[in-house]
Amino acid sequence: MKTRKATTTFRMSVLLVILAAATAHAQGPAPDNSGNFLTRSTMTGDWGGLRSGLAKKGMTFDFSLTQTEVGVVTGGLDSTGRYGGRGDFYFNVDTGKAKLWRGGFFMIEGEVNYGNGANLYTGALMPVNTNQVFPVPLKSGSAAIPAVTFTQFLSPYFGVTVGKYNVTAADENEFAHGKYAKGDTQFMNTALNLVPAALFTTPYTPIGGGLVILPKKDPEAMIVKALVYASSGTATKADWSTFSHDDLSVYIEGRWRTHFFKKTGHQDIIYLHSNEHKTSINQVLIEPGVRELATKPGSWMVSCNFDQYLWEPQPGKGFGIFGRFAASDGNPNFIHYFYSLGFGGKGVGAKRPNDMYGIGAYYINASHPTLTTPNGTQQFLRDEKGFEAYYSLALTPWAHLSPDFQVVHGITPTNILAHVEQGVPLRKIDDPVVLGLRLNLVF
């Protein structure tokens, strides 16, 4: 009954926004939050001048709500449609504009999710609905403050930073990341929002600190980050006791803008290393009653990503290509190699400047973990391939409705333990075909 009521609410929300947008002129948003209800950049507007007034003093607020209805059409584990949603809040303070002191930047993020995103019903390794992964996977109704950071620049080239970080904000990509890589605006599959191997090397919201370097003074032109943070941590807690010498991660990222073909592009390289002891993906459980799991000391991952406009009539508009590659230790990180490649665009002609679209594919070369018991040895996990296509229709500048299509190949049987211990035949799972509908509202 709750699922049916939530689905009805979602459909009514979509219908109301479509009806409201039917009278809107096909134009871009106002340069700020001013303008009428259907043409301004946010639903709630300028709050009678308060919002723009605060922005001039260095304080900005971002609110968004993303609702999704996702279902497995064929294959997978369950063909029932699932409704879910996630709300996001960002508050930023520029201490210079606030006339406090120069060079300081404070940021806090809050988020909550509810409902269900169908991720448990595909059988795939990668979530098909990233919007339902955060802040706590598999927990509906979870709320958290995943990021609280403070950065102080000591010169135009150099700054220090400390706090609790949202690692999904890294690994940016013009066509395959969205604003914060959480499936709100572009692709929905996690593998096409970021490098998934990173999530198995480091926690989602670690505590730590480090350096920020701007070799060209402009963070859009080039930025280098070097952080040390705890290898343990959860989105719902901020515990500095997790920061210890035998539980640390080193994170180094370099990102720079390119101009191949006289068009905008970006390159990004990330290196991650953790000295935390993690559970090994290969286990030998021979002695009856002994269930102590083997561990591996340390884990590492390196990744690179690129985006490149092929047609760019104006900055931030046009279409181009993107791609990512990652390699890891292979154990304890089961994603040994990762590849993704795709095509994306922003704007469809003068009358649809805010629409977005993309097609992408990914491949995960898994390490095939093994479990050895008195009954024999069995491999887990298969290599996984996935394809996704979406179109984000700008009903208004602050409301985007996105139909989404996905296919995943290489589903691992879910009854491997029963197969090893009881000789039960492996369950064959057909490739899931997934359809989704997403409504993103910016307040």
Side-chain angles (χ1 to χ4, degrees), residues 193-218:
N193 274 281
L194 45 76
V195 171
L199 297 178
F200 296 95
T201 307
T202 186
Y204 162 46
T205 58
I207 289 176
L211 308 177
V212 180
I213 302 171
L214 306 179
K216 299 183 178 181
K217 295 185 181 180
D218 180 4

Side-chain angles (χ1 to χ4, degrees), residues 83-313:
Y83 166 80
R86 191 177 67 85
D88 237 338
F89 165 77
Y90 288 87
F91 175 55
N92 293 272
V93 178
D94 179 334
T95 62
K97 290 183 178 180
K99 298 182 179 180
L100 298 174
W101 66 87
R102 297 177 60 184
F105 298 89
F106 172 81
M107 187 275 287
I108 183 170
E109 176 194 3
E111 65 181 338
V112 60
N113 78 8
Y114 57 90
N116 193 301
N119 293 325
L120 292 176
Y121 307 104
T122 64
L125 296 175
M126 290 295 100
V128 295
N129 186 355
T130 305
N131 192 63
Q132 285 294 294
V133 174
F134 305 105
V136 181
L138 310 181
K139 185 178 180 181
S140 176
S142 58
I145 299 177
V148 181
T149 64
F150 176 70
T151 302
Q152 177 65 53
F153 279 90
L154 307 177
S155 83
Y157 300 95
F158 171 80
V160 294
T161 179
V162 65
K164 183 180 183 184
Y165 298 94
N166 173 358
V167 299
T168 67
D171 194 27
E172 294 180 62
N173 192 287
E174 187 77 3
F175 306 114
H177 187 269
K179 191 171 183 180
Y180 297 104
K182 296 181 180 180
D184 293 345
T185 57
Q186 293 179 330
F187 291 97
M188 294 183 70
N189 194 296
T190 300
L192 292 170
N193 274 281
L194 45 76
V195 171
L199 297 178
F200 296 95
T201 307
T202 186
Y204 162 46
T205 58
I207 289 176
L211 308 177
V212 180
I213 302 171
L214 306 179
K216 299 183 178 181
K217 295 185 181 180
D218 180 4
E220 297 297 324
M222 180 177 290
I223 185 170
V224 177
K225 300 176 184 178
L227 305 176
V228 176
Y229 50 70
S231 295
S232 303
T234 64
T236 56
K237 294 181 180 180
D239 186 1
W240 280 96
S241 66
T242 61
F243 198 87
S244 62
H245 68 89
D246 58 351
D247 187 25
L248 294 177
S249 291
V250 174
Y251 168 93
I252 301 173
E253 179 182 16
R255 176 176 171 81
W256 61 98
R257 185 170 55 209
T258 61
H259 298 281
F260 297 122
F261 320 116
K262 297 182 179 180
K263 305 291 190 297
T264 303
H266 302 89
Q267 306 279 335
D268 191 293
I269 295 177
I270 295 175
Y271 174 74
L272 274 171
H273 184 272
S274 169
N275 68 358
E276 179 190 19
H277 278 64
K278 298 178 181 289
T279 303
S280 172
I281 64 173
N282 300 319
Q283 297 292 330
V284 178
L285 304 176
I286 298 296
E287 298 181 17
V290 176
R291 296 291 179 179
E292 184 175 347
L293 299 179
T295 62
K296 294 281 289 186
S299 180
W300 62 267
M301 184 218 73
V302 61
S303 71
C304 59
N305 113 33
F306 78 91
D307 59 70
Q308 178 62 55
Y309 275 98
L310 302 178
W311 180 65
E312 190 181 21

Side-chain angles (χ1 to χ4, degrees), residues 75 98 357 376 396 410:
Y357 53 89
T396 71

